[in-house]
């Protein structure tokens, strides 16, 4: 199945992730990664089917918190290509 990776830069705030999820509710989301930074920004990497990519991109751009949406073709292994740091335990060990 062909899919597209949308990298979304957002202003992080109360309810941002919920609005993002609600916006993508009617689309075939294959993978979603959400990371916040200390500068009150967040990055979401969303993999959607190629048939939903354009519509999802337009809907994401209309969100108040969204700064930018960048589409890119995704490889079959979305977790490895997201280029987003994975969450770790305070000890530095990867989460199970």
């Amino acid at each position: 199945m062909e899919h597209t990776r949308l990298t979304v830069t957002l202003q992080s705030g109360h309810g941002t992730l919920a609005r993002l999820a609600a916006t993508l509710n009617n689309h075939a989301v294959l993978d979603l990664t959400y990371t916040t930074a200390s500068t009150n920004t967040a990055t979401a990497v969303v993999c959607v089917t190629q048939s939903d990519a354009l519509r999802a991109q337009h809907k994401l751009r209309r969100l108040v918190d969204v700064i930018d949406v960048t589409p890119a073709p995704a490889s079959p292994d979305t977790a490895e290509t997201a280029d987003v740091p994975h969450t770790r335990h305070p000890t530095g060990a990867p989460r199970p």
Side-chain angles (χ1 to χ4, degrees):
M1 174 186 334
E2 295 288 323
H3 54 283
T4 300
R5 182 178 63 226
L6 302 173
T7 302
V8 186
T9 306
L10 310 110
Q11 235 3 79
S12 181
H14 181 71
T16 302
L17 181 56
R19 282 189 292 281
L20 180 70
T23 299
L24 296 169
N25 187 42
N26 292 327
H27 299 287
V29 175
L30 306 171
D31 189 44
L32 173 79
T33 305
Y34 184 82
T35 307
T36 59
S38 60
T39 59
N40 291 332
T41 60
T43 301
V45 179
V46 183
C47 288
V48 295
T49 59
Q50 197 165 13
S51 60
D52 281 342
L54 187 60
R55 183 71 181 136
Q57 182 179 353
H58 287 295
K59 288 175 82 174
L60 288 168
R61 286 186 187 277
R62 289 194 307 245
L63 283 176
V64 163
D65 301 324
V66 170
I67 298 167
D68 189 31
V69 179
T70 307
S75 70
D77 188 6
T78 57
E80 293 300 318
T81 60
D83 294 328
V84 174
H86 296 284
T87 304
R88 296 189 176 272
H89 285 288
T91 61
R95 281 197 154 162

Coordinates of all heavy atoms in Angstrom, one line a residue:
M1 N 0.9 -1.2 0.0 CA 0.0 0.0 0.0 C 0.9 1.2 0.0 O 1.8 1.4 0.8 CB -0.9 0.0 1.2 CG -1.7 1.2 1.4 SD -2.7 1.4 2.9 CE -3.0 -0.2 3.5
E2 N 0.6 2.1 -0.9 CA 1.4 3.4 -1.0 C 0.9 4.3 0.1 O -0.3 4.5 0.4 CB 1.2 4.1 -2.3 CG 1.7 3.3 -3.5 CD 3.2 3.3 -3.6 OE1 3.8 4.3 -3.2 OE2 3.8 2.3 -3.9
H3 N 1.8 5.0 0.8 CA 1.5 6.0 1.8 C 2.4 7.1 1.8 O 3.5 7.1 1.2 CB 1.4 5.3 3.2 CG 2.6 4.6 3.6 ND1 2.9 3.3 3.1 CD2 3.6 4.9 4.5 CE1 4.1 2.9 3.7 NE2 4.5 3.9 4.5
T4 N 2.0 8.2 2.5 CA 2.7 9.5 2.5 C 2.9 9.8 4.0 O 2.1 9.7 4.8 CB 1.9 10.6 1.8 OG1 1.7 10.2 0.4 CG2 2.6 11.9 1.8
R5 N 4.1 10.4 4.2 CA 4.5 10.9 5.6 C 4.3 12.4 5.6 O 4.9 13.1 4.8 CB 5.9 10.5 5.9 CG 6.3 10.9 7.3 CD 7.7 10.5 7.7 NE 8.6 11.1 6.8 CZ 9.6 10.5 6.2 NH1 9.8 9.2 6.3 NH2 10.5 11.2 5.4
L6 N 3.4 12.9 6.5 CA 3.2 14.3 6.7 C 3.9 14.7 8.0 O 3.6 14.2 9.0 CB 1.7 14.6 6.8 CG 0.9 14.2 5.6 CD1 -0.6 14.4 5.9 CD2 1.3 15.0 4.3
T7 N 4.9 15.6 7.8 CA 5.6 16.2 9.0 C 4.9 17.5 9.3 O 4.9 18.4 8.5 CB 7.1 16.4 8.7 OG1 7.6 15.1 8.4 CG2 7.8 16.9 10.0
V8 N 4.3 17.6 10.5 CA 3.5 18.7 10.9 C 4.2 19.5 12.1 O 4.5 18.8 13.1 CB 2.1 18.3 11.4 CG1 1.3 19.5 11.7 CG2 1.4 17.4 10.4
T9 N 4.5 20.7 11.9 CA 5.1 21.6 13.0 C 4.0 22.4 13.6 O 3.2 23.0 12.8 CB 6.2 22.5 12.4 OG1 7.1 21.7 11.7 CG2 6.9 23.3 13.5
L10 N 3.9 22.3 14.9 CA 2.7 22.9 15.6 C 3.2 23.8 16.8 O 4.3 23.5 17.3 CB 1.8 21.9 16.2 CG 1.3 20.7 15.3 CD1 1.9 19.5 15.7 CD2 -0.2 20.6 15.4
Q11 N 2.4 24.7 17.2 CA 2.5 25.4 18.4 C 1.9 24.5 19.5 O 0.8 24.2 19.4 CB 1.7 26.7 18.4 CG 2.3 28.1 18.6 CD 3.7 28.2 18.8 OE1 4.5 28.2 17.9 NE2 4.1 28.5 20.1
S12 N 2.7 24.1 20.4 CA 2.2 23.1 21.4 C 1.4 23.9 22.5 O 1.8 25.0 22.9 CB 3.4 22.5 22.1 OG 3.0 21.6 23.1
G13 N 0.3 23.3 22.8 CA -0.6 23.9 23.8 C -1.6 22.9 24.3 O -1.6 21.8 23.9
H14 N -2.5 23.4 25.2 CA -3.5 22.5 25.8 C -4.5 22.1 24.7 O -5.1 22.9 24.0 CB -4.3 23.3 26.8 CG -5.3 22.5 27.5 ND1 -5.0 21.5 28.4 CD2 -6.7 22.5 27.4 CE1 -6.1 20.9 28.8 NE2 -7.1 21.6 28.2
G15 N -4.6 20.8 24.5 CA -5.5 20.2 23.5 C -5.0 20.1 22.1 O -5.7 19.7 21.2
T16 N -3.7 20.4 21.9 CA -3.2 20.3 20.5 C -3.2 18.9 19.9 O -3.7 18.7 18.8 CB -1.7 20.9 20.5 OG1 -1.7 22.2 21.0 CG2 -1.1 20.8 19.1
L17 N -2.8 17.9 20.7 CA -2.8 16.6 20.2 C -4.2 16.1 20.0 O -4.5 15.4 19.0 CB -2.1 15.6 21.2 CG -2.0 14.2 20.8 CD1 -1.3 14.0 19.5 CD2 -1.3 13.4 21.9
A18 N -5.2 16.5 20.8 CA -6.6 16.1 20.7 C -7.1 16.7 19.4 O -7.9 16.0 18.6 CB -7.4 16.5 21.9
R19 N -6.8 17.9 19.1 CA -7.3 18.6 17.8 C -6.7 17.9 16.6 O -7.4 17.7 15.6 CB -7.0 20.1 17.8 CG -8.0 20.9 18.7 CD -7.8 22.4 18.5 NE -6.5 22.8 19.0 CZ -6.2 23.1 20.3 NH1 -7.2 22.9 21.2 NH2 -5.1 23.5 20.7
L20 N -5.4 17.5 16.7 CA -4.8 16.8 15.6 C -5.5 15.5 15.4 O -5.8 15.1 14.2 CB -3.3 16.6 16.0 CG -2.4 15.9 15.0 CD1 -2.2 16.8 13.8 CD2 -1.1 15.5 15.6
A21 N -5.7 14.7 16.4 CA -6.4 13.4 16.3 C -7.8 13.6 15.7 O -8.2 12.8 14.9 CB -6.4 12.7 17.6
A22 N -8.5 14.5 16.2 CA -9.9 14.7 15.7 C -9.9 15.1 14.3 O -10.8 14.7 13.5 CB -10.6 15.8 16.6
T23 N -8.9 15.9 13.8 CA -8.8 16.3 12.4 C -8.6 15.1 11.5 O -9.1 15.0 10.4 CB -7.7 17.4 12.2 OG1 -8.1 18.5 13.0 CG2 -7.6 17.8 10.8
L24 N -7.8 14.2 12.0 CA -7.4 13.0 11.2 C -8.3 11.8 11.4 O -8.1 10.8 10.8 CB -6.0 12.6 11.6 CG -4.9 13.6 11.3 CD1 -3.6 13.2 11.9 CD2 -4.7 13.8 9.8
N25 N -9.4 12.0 12.2 CA -10.3 10.9 12.5 C -10.9 10.2 11.3 O -11.0 8.9 11.3 CB -11.5 11.5 13.4 CG -12.4 10.4 13.9 OD1 -11.9 9.3 14.3 ND2 -13.6 10.6 13.8
N26 N -11.2 10.8 10.2 CA -11.8 10.2 9.0 C -10.8 9.7 8.0 O -11.2 9.3 6.9 CB -12.8 11.1 8.4 CG -14.0 11.4 9.3 OD1 -14.4 10.5 10.0 ND2 -14.5 12.6 9.2
H27 N -9.6 9.7 8.3 CA -8.5 9.3 7.4 C -7.8 8.0 7.8 O -7.8 7.7 9.0 CB -7.5 10.4 7.2 CG -8.1 11.7 6.6 ND1 -8.5 11.8 5.3 CD2 -8.4 12.8 7.2 CE1 -9.0 13.0 5.2 NE2 -8.9 13.7 6.3
A28 N -7.3 7.3 6.9 CA -6.6 6.0 7.2 C -5.2 6.4 7.7 O -4.2 6.5 7.0 CB -6.5 5.1 6.0
V29 N -5.1 6.6 9.0 CA -3.8 6.9 9.6 C -3.1 5.6 10.0 O -3.6 4.8 10.7 CB -3.9 7.8 10.9 CG1 -2.6 8.0 11.6 CG2 -4.6 9.1 10.6
L30 N -1.9 5.4 9.4 CA -1.1 4.2 9.6 C -0.1 4.3 10.8 O 0.2 3.3 11.4 CB -0.3 3.9 8.3 CG -1.2 3.8 7.1 CD1 -0.3 3.7 5.8 CD2 -2.1 2.6 7.1
D31 N 0.3 5.6 11.1 CA 1.3 5.8 12.1 C 1.2 7.3 12.5 O 1.0 8.1 11.7 CB 2.7 5.4 11.6 CG 3.7 5.4 12.7 OD1 3.4 4.9 13.8 OD2 4.8 5.9 12.5
L32 N 1.4 7.5 13.8 CA 1.4 8.9 14.3 C 2.4 9.0 15.4 O 2.4 8.2 16.4 CB 0.0 9.3 14.8 CG -0.1 10.7 15.5 CD1 -0.1 11.8 14.5 CD2 -1.3 10.8 16.4
T33 N 3.3 10.0 15.3 CA 4.3 10.2 16.3 C 4.2 11.7 16.7 O 4.1 12.5 15.8 CB 5.7 9.9 15.8 OG1 5.8 8.6 15.3 CG2 6.7 10.1 16.9
Y34 N 4.2 12.0 18.0 CA 4.0 13.4 18.4 C 5.1 13.7 19.5 O 5.3 13.0 20.4 CB 2.6 13.5 19.1 CG 2.3 14.9 19.5 CD1 1.8 15.9 18.6 CD2 2.4 15.3 20.9 CE1 1.5 17.2 19.0 CE2 2.1 16.6 21.3 CZ 1.6 17.5 20.3 OH 1.3 18.8 20.7
T35 N 5.9 14.7 19.2 CA 7.0 15.1 20.1 C 7.0 16.5 20.4 O 6.8 17.4 19.5 CB 8.4 14.7 19.4 OG1 8.3 13.4 18.9 CG2 9.5 14.9 20.3
T36 N 7.2 16.9 21.7 CA 7.2 18.3 22.0 C 8.6 18.7 22.3 O 9.5 17.9 22.6 CB 6.3 18.6 23.3 OG1 6.8 17.8 24.4 CG2 4.9 18.2 23.0
A37 N 8.8 20.0 22.2 CA 10.1 20.6 22.5 C 10.0 21.7 23.6 O 8.9 22.2 23.8 CB 10.7 21.2 21.3
S38 N 11.0 22.1 24.2 CA 11.0 23.1 25.3 C 10.6 24.5 24.8 O 10.3 25.4 25.5 CB 12.3 23.1 26.0 OG 13.4 23.5 25.1
T39 N 10.6 24.7 23.5 CA 10.3 26.0 22.9 C 8.8 26.1 22.6 O 8.4 27.0 21.8 CB 11.1 26.2 21.6 OG1 10.7 25.1 20.7 CG2 12.6 26.2 21.8
N40 N 8.0 25.3 23.2 CA 6.5 25.3 23.0 C 6.1 25.0 21.6 O 5.1 25.4 21.1 CB 5.9 26.7 23.4 CG 5.9 26.9 24.9 OD1 5.9 25.9 25.7 ND2 6.0 28.1 25.4
T41 N 6.9 24.2 20.9 CA 6.6 23.7 19.6 C 6.5 22.2 19.7 O 7.0 21.6 20.6 CB 7.6 24.1 18.5 OG1 8.9 23.6 18.9 CG2 7.7 25.6 18.4
A42 N 5.8 21.6 18.7 CA 5.7 20.2 18.7 C 5.8 19.7 17.2 O 5.6 20.5 16.3 CB 4.3 19.7 19.2
T43 N 6.2 18.5 17.1 CA 6.3 17.9 15.7 C 5.5 16.6 15.7 O 5.7 15.8 16.6 CB 7.8 17.6 15.4 OG1 8.5 18.8 15.4 CG2 7.9 17.0 14.0
A44 N 4.6 16.5 14.7 CA 3.9 15.3 14.5 C 4.3 14.7 13.2 O 4.3 15.5 12.2 CB 2.4 15.6 14.6
V45 N 4.5 13.4 13.2 CA 4.8 12.7 11.9 C 3.6 11.8 11.7 O 3.4 10.9 12.5 CB 6.1 12.0 12.0 CG1 6.3 11.3 10.6 CG2 7.3 13.0 12.2
V46 N 2.9 12.0 10.7 CA 1.6 11.3 10.4 C 1.8 10.5 9.1 O 2.1 11.1 8.1 CB 0.4 12.2 10.3 CG1 -0.9 11.4 10.1 CG2 0.3 13.1 11.5
C47 N 1.6 9.2 9.1 CA 1.6 8.4 7.9 C 0.2 8.1 7.5 O -0.5 7.5 8.3 CB 2.5 7.2 8.0 SG 4.2 7.5 8.1
V48 N -0.2 8.5 6.3 CA -1.5 8.2 5.8 C -1.4 7.6 4.5 O -0.4 7.7 3.8 CB -2.4 9.5 5.7 CG1 -2.6 10.1 7.1 CG2 -1.7 10.5 4.8
T49 N -2.5 6.9 4.1 CA -2.5 6.3 2.7 C -2.4 7.4 1.7 O -2.8 8.6 2.0 CB -3.8 5.5 2.5 OG1 -4.9 6.4 2.6 CG2 -3.9 4.3 3.5
Q50 N -1.8 7.1 0.6 CA -1.6 8.1 -0.4 C -2.9 8.7 -0.9 O -3.0 9.9 -1.2 CB -0.8 7.5 -1.6 CG -0.2 8.6 -2.5 CD 0.9 8.0 -3.4 OE1 1.0 6.7 -3.5 NE2 1.6 8.8 -4.0
S51 N -4.0 7.9 -0.9 CA -5.3 8.4 -1.4 C -5.8 9.5 -0.4 O -6.6 10.3 -0.8 CB -6.3 7.3 -1.6 OG -6.4 6.6 -0.3
D52 N -5.4 9.4 0.9 CA -5.9 10.4 1.9 C -4.9 11.6 2.1 O -5.3 12.5 2.8 CB -6.1 9.7 3.2 CG -7.4 8.9 3.3 OD1 -8.3 9.2 2.5 OD2 -7.5 8.1 4.2
A53 N -3.8 11.5 1.5 CA -2.7 12.4 1.9 C -3.0 13.9 1.5 O -2.8 14.8 2.4 CB -1.4 12.1 1.1
L54 N -3.5 14.2 0.4 CA -3.8 15.6 0.0 C -4.9 16.2 0.9 O -4.8 17.3 1.4 CB -4.2 15.7 -1.5 CG -4.3 17.1 -2.0 CD1 -3.0 17.8 -1.9 CD2 -4.8 17.0 -3.5
R55 N -6.0 15.4 1.1 CA -7.1 15.9 1.9 C -6.6 16.1 3.3 O -7.0 17.1 4.0 CB -8.3 14.9 1.8 CG -9.5 15.4 2.6 CD -10.1 16.6 1.9 NE -11.3 17.0 2.7 CZ -11.6 18.2 3.0 NH1 -10.8 19.2 2.5 NH2 -12.6 18.5 3.7
A56 N -5.9 15.1 3.9 CA -5.4 15.3 5.3 C -4.5 16.5 5.4 O -4.5 17.2 6.4 CB -4.6 14.0 5.7
Q57 N -3.6 16.7 4.4 CA -2.7 17.9 4.4 C -3.5 19.2 4.5 O -3.2 20.1 5.3 CB -1.8 17.8 3.2 CG -0.8 18.9 3.2 CD 0.1 18.8 2.0 OE1 0.1 17.9 1.2 NE2 0.9 19.8 1.8
H58 N -4.5 19.3 3.6 CA -5.3 20.5 3.6 C -6.1 20.7 5.0 O -6.1 21.8 5.5 CB -6.3 20.5 2.5 CG -5.7 20.6 1.1 ND1 -5.1 21.8 0.7 CD2 -5.6 19.8 0.1 CE1 -4.7 21.7 -0.5 NE2 -4.9 20.5 -0.9
K59 N -6.6 19.6 5.5 CA -7.3 19.7 6.8 C -6.3 20.1 7.9 O -6.6 21.0 8.8 CB -8.0 18.4 7.2 CG -9.2 18.2 6.3 CD -9.8 16.9 6.5 CE -10.7 16.9 7.7 NZ -11.5 15.6 7.9
L60 N -5.1 19.6 7.9 CA -4.1 19.9 8.9 C -3.7 21.4 8.8 O -3.5 22.1 9.9 CB -2.9 19.0 8.8 CG -3.1 17.6 9.3 CD1 -1.9 16.7 8.8 CD2 -3.3 17.5 10.8
R61 N -3.5 21.9 7.6 CA -3.1 23.3 7.4 C -4.2 24.3 8.0 O -3.8 25.4 8.3 CB -2.9 23.6 6.0 CG -1.6 23.0 5.5 CD -1.3 23.4 4.0 NE -0.2 22.7 3.5 CZ 1.1 23.1 3.7 NH1 1.3 24.1 4.4 NH2 2.0 22.4 3.1
R62 N -5.4 23.9 8.1 CA -6.5 24.7 8.6 C -6.5 24.8 10.2 O -7.2 25.6 10.7 CB -7.8 24.3 8.1 CG -8.0 24.6 6.7 CD -9.4 24.4 6.2 NE -10.0 23.2 6.6 CZ -10.5 22.3 5.8 NH1 -10.4 22.5 4.5 NH2 -11.0 21.2 6.2
L63 N -5.8 23.9 10.8 CA -5.7 23.9 12.3 C -5.0 25.2 12.8 O -4.0 25.6 12.2 CB -5.0 22.7 12.9 CG -5.8 21.4 12.9 CD1 -4.9 20.3 13.4 CD2 -7.0 21.5 13.8
V64 N -5.5 25.8 13.8 CA -5.0 27.0 14.4 C -3.5 26.8 14.8 O -2.7 27.7 14.6 CB -5.8 27.5 15.5 CG1 -5.1 28.5 16.4 CG2 -7.1 28.1 15.0
D65 N -3.2 25.7 15.4 CA -1.9 25.4 16.0 C -0.8 25.1 15.0 O 0.4 25.1 15.3 CB -2.0 24.3 17.0 CG -2.9 24.6 18.1 OD1 -3.0 25.7 18.5 OD2 -3.6 23.6 18.6
V66 N -1.2 24.8 13.7 CA -0.2 24.3 12.7 C 0.6 25.5 12.2 O 0.0 26.5 11.7 CB -1.0 23.5 11.6 CG1 0.0 23.2 10.5 CG2 -1.5 22.2 12.2
I67 N 1.9 25.3 12.1 CA 2.8 26.2 11.5 C 3.1 25.8 10.1 O 3.2 26.6 9.2 CB 4.1 26.3 12.4 CG1 3.8 26.8 13.8 CG2 5.2 27.2 11.7 CD1 4.9 26.7 14.8
D68 N 3.4 24.5 9.9 CA 3.8 24.0 8.6 C 3.4 22.5 8.5 O 3.4 21.8 9.4 CB 5.3 24.2 8.4 CG 5.7 23.9 6.9 OD1 4.9 24.2 6.0 OD2 6.9 23.5 6.7
V69 N 3.1 22.1 7.2 CA 2.9 20.7 6.9 C 3.8 20.4 5.7 O 3.7 21.0 4.7 CB 1.4 20.4 6.6 CG1 1.3 18.9 6.2 CG2 0.5 20.8 7.7
T70 N 4.6 19.4 5.8 CA 5.5 19.0 4.8 C 5.3 17.5 4.4 O 5.5 16.6 5.2 CB 7.0 19.1 5.2 OG1 7.2 20.4 5.7 CG2 7.9 18.8 4.1
P71 N 4.8 17.2 3.2 CA 4.6 15.9 2.7 C 5.9 15.2 2.2 O 6.7 15.9 1.6 CB 3.5 16.0 1.7 CG 3.8 17.4 1.1 CD 4.3 18.2 2.2
A72 N 6.0 13.9 2.3 CA 7.1 13.2 1.8 C 6.6 11.7 1.6 O 5.9 11.2 2.4 CB 8.3 13.2 2.7
P73 N 7.1 11.1 0.5 CA 6.7 9.7 0.4 C 7.4 8.9 1.5 O 8.5 9.2 1.9 CB 7.4 9.3 -1.0 CG 7.7 10.5 -1.7 CD 7.8 11.6 -0.6
A74 N 6.7 7.9 2.0 CA 7.2 7.1 3.2 C 7.5 5.7 2.7 O 6.9 5.2 1.8 CB 6.1 7.1 4.3
S75 N 8.5 5.2 3.3 CA 8.9 3.8 3.1 C 8.0 2.9 3.9 O 7.3 3.3 4.8 CB 10.4 3.6 3.4 OG 10.6 3.6 4.8
P76 N 8.0 1.6 3.6 CA 7.1 0.7 4.4 C 7.4 0.6 5.9 O 6.5 0.4 6.6 CB 7.4 -0.7 3.8 CG 8.0 -0.4 2.4 CD 8.7 0.9 2.5
D77 N 8.6 0.9 6.3 CA 9.0 0.9 7.7 C 8.9 2.3 8.3 O 9.9 3.0 8.4 CB 10.4 0.3 7.9 CG 10.7 0.1 9.4 OD1 9.7 0.2 10.2 OD2 11.8 -0.3 9.7
T78 N 7.7 2.8 8.6 CA 7.5 4.1 9.0 C 8.1 4.5 10.3 O 8.6 5.6 10.4 CB 6.0 4.4 9.1 OG1 5.4 3.5 10.1 CG2 5.3 4.3 7.8
A79 N 8.3 3.6 11.2 CA 8.9 4.0 12.5 C 10.3 4.3 12.4 O 10.9 5.2 13.1 CB 8.7 2.8 13.5
E80 N 11.0 3.7 11.5 CA 12.5 3.9 11.3 C 12.7 5.2 10.5 O 13.8 5.8 10.6 CB 13.1 2.7 10.6 CG 13.1 1.5 11.5 CD 13.9 1.7 12.8 OE1 14.9 2.3 12.8 OE2 13.4 1.2 13.8
T81 N 11.8 5.6 9.6 CA 12.0 6.7 8.8 C 11.4 8.0 9.3 O 11.6 9.1 8.7 CB 11.4 6.5 7.4 OG1 9.9 6.3 7.6 CG2 12.0 5.3 6.7
A82 N 10.8 8.0 10.5 CA 10.2 9.2 11.0 C 11.2 10.2 11.4 O 10.9 11.4 11.5 CB 9.3 8.8 12.2
D83 N 12.4 9.9 11.8 CA 13.5 10.8 12.2 C 13.0 11.6 13.4 O 13.4 12.8 13.5 CB 13.9 11.7 11.1 CG 14.6 11.0 10.0 OD1 15.3 9.9 10.2 OD2 14.5 11.4 8.8
V84 N 12.2 11.0 14.2 CA 11.7 11.7 15.5 C 12.3 10.9 16.6 O 12.2 9.7 16.6 CB 10.2 11.7 15.5 CG1 9.7 12.3 16.8 CG2 9.7 12.5 14.3
P85 N 12.9 11.5 17.6 CA 13.4 10.8 18.8 C 12.3 10.0 19.5 O 11.2 10.5 19.6 CB 14.0 11.9 19.7 CG 13.6 13.2 19.1 CD 13.0 13.0 17.8
H86 N 12.7 8.8 19.9 CA 11.7 7.9 20.6 C 11.8 8.2 22.1 O 12.8 8.6 22.6 CB 12.1 6.5 20.3 CG 11.9 6.1 18.9 ND1 10.7 5.9 18.3 CD2 12.8 5.9 17.9 CE1 10.9 5.6 17.0 NE2 12.2 5.6 16.8
T87 N 10.7 8.1 22.8 CA 10.6 8.3 24.2 C 11.4 7.3 24.9 O 11.5 6.2 24.6 CB 9.1 8.2 24.6 OG1 8.3 9.1 23.9 CG2 9.0 8.6 26.1
R88 N 12.1 7.8 26.0 CA 13.0 7.0 26.8 C 12.7 7.2 28.2 O 12.1 8.2 28.7 CB 14.5 7.3 26.5 CG 14.9 7.1 25.2 CD 16.4 7.3 25.1 NE 16.9 6.9 23.7 CZ 17.3 5.7 23.4 NH1 17.2 4.7 24.2 NH2 17.7 5.4 22.1
H89 N 13.0 6.1 29.0 CA 12.8 6.2 30.5 C 13.8 7.2 31.0 O 14.8 7.5 30.4 CB 13.1 4.8 31.1 CG 12.0 3.8 30.9 ND1 10.8 3.9 31.6 CD2 11.9 2.8 30.1 CE1 10.1 2.9 31.2 NE2 10.7 2.2 30.3
P90 N 13.6 7.8 32.2 CA 14.5 8.7 32.8 C 15.9 8.1 32.9 O 16.9 8.8 32.9 CB 13.9 9.0 34.2 CG 12.5 8.7 34.0 CD 12.4 7.6 33.0
T91 N 16.1 6.8 33.0 CA 17.4 6.2 33.1 C 18.1 6.1 31.8 O 19.3 5.8 31.7 CB 17.2 4.7 33.6 OG1 16.5 4.0 32.7 CG2 16.6 4.7 35.0
G92 N 17.4 6.5 30.7 CA 18.0 6.5 29.4 C 17.8 5.2 28.6 O 18.1 5.1 27.5
A93 N 17.2 4.2 29.3 CA 16.9 2.9 28.6 C 15.6 3.1 27.7 O 14.7 3.8 28.1 CB 16.6 1.8 29.6
P94 N 15.6 2.4 26.6 CA 14.4 2.5 25.7 C 13.2 1.9 26.4 O 13.3 1.0 27.2 CB 14.8 1.7 24.5 CG 16.2 1.4 24.6 CD 16.6 1.6 26.0
R95 N 12.0 2.5 26.1 CA 10.8 1.9 26.6 C 10.5 0.6 26.0 O 10.8 0.4 24.9 CB 9.6 2.9 26.3 CG 9.6 4.0 27.3 CD 8.2 4.6 27.2 NE 8.0 5.3 28.4 CZ 7.1 6.2 28.6 NH1 6.3 6.6 27.7 NH2 7.0 6.8 29.8
P96 N 9.9 -0.3 26.8 CA 9.6 -1.6 26.3 C 8.5 -1.6 25.2 O 7.7 -0.7 25.1 CB 9.1 -2.4 27.5 CG 8.9 -1.5 28.6 CD 9.6 -0.2 28.2

